[in-house]
Amino acid sequence: MARNTYYAPKGGLPPQTQLIHDRAVFTEAYAVIPKGVMSDIVTSFLPFWDETRLWVIARPLSGFAETFSHYIMEVSPKGGSDKPELDKGAEGVLFIVEGEMTLTLEGKEHHMELGGYAYLPAGANWSLRNNSSEPVRFHWLRKAYEFVDGIDVPEAFVTNENDIAPTPMPDTNDAWATTRFTDPTDLRHDMHVNIVTFQPGGVIPFDETHVMEHGLYVLEGKAVYHLNQDWVEVEAGDYMWLRAFCPQACYASGPTRFRYLLYKDVNRHMVLNSSPAYRGR
Ligand SMILES: NC(=O)N[C@H](N)C(=O)O
């Protein structure tokens, strides 16, 4: 009689549930990085950050299209950085999802906790420390700021999402609203990082198809998202990354509200191939 052969590697196979639920997708139009794959084996580290690890969930890829990078940072007690950003041309947003930390920005200390949001203009002078006894987890979105002659660089600010009233989308019975951290008509800003909230059953009822790229990190709830030609189920902890013009719609499919942190690039000309900037690409 044939004997059984065991192929399982020493560490064991992933549990069956994980195989079923991991829904990672990478296409030319979009990517989905489910929370299940943001595990210990895909962490990164950064120069001049102590007691810190991170998950890089978006980065510029082709040099033509993707404008931003997005990290999930985890800073252990006493960790942080006195030299966090090495690129003087990079602006950033920090958004706290767990724990607390001290941000020193242009010489002023800010205690930041859940829902805390900081805008860091290109060239800002900042450092960060976790003085608490628990890890702090936050999102860090970065983009090369597109300077424009005659337009000032926006000033730094620190706030909390709870201090900002969401703006409802017209004609949605408040089922769809956006917490805006910057004024959409303020042309100093070339990126927006907002929070979009749907009440259960709320929808984006048509395929939005637009020039802005997106990074969407699901903060709460569940939904079915239409991405290009596919319907994808997403829930809290999942990430989606959409290239320019990727058609997108959704409906909030769970019993609780569905919310995500949304990156988009805004308010700037496209680089044309007649431009000297193009030749560097
Ligand atoms: N997928 C989205 O939430 N898109 C937004 N309506 C937006 O483009 O601002």
Side-chain angles (χ1 to χ4, degrees), residues 38-49:
M38 293 177 214
S39 65
D40 289 356
I41 56 170
V42 293
T43 50
S44 301
F45 302 94
L46 283 175
F48 309 115
W49 280 84

Side-chain angles (χ1 to χ4, degrees), residues 169 176 178 180 192 194 196 198 204 206 208-210 212-214 216 225-227 240 242 246-250 258 260 262-264 266:
M169 282 295 273
W176 173 10
T178 304
R180 296 187 195 286
H192 290 163
N194 291 329
V196 181
F198 294 92
I204 297 181
F206 62 94
E208 287 186 19
T209 307
H210 52 59
M212 301 91 173
E213 288 175 6
H214 279 327
L216 286 87
Y225 228 100
H226 195 229
L227 298 171
M240 289 168 271
L242 283 58
C246 175
Q248 58 204 267
C250 70
F258 170 58
Y260 50 85
L262 176 75
Y263 162 90
K264 66 199 279 190
V266 292

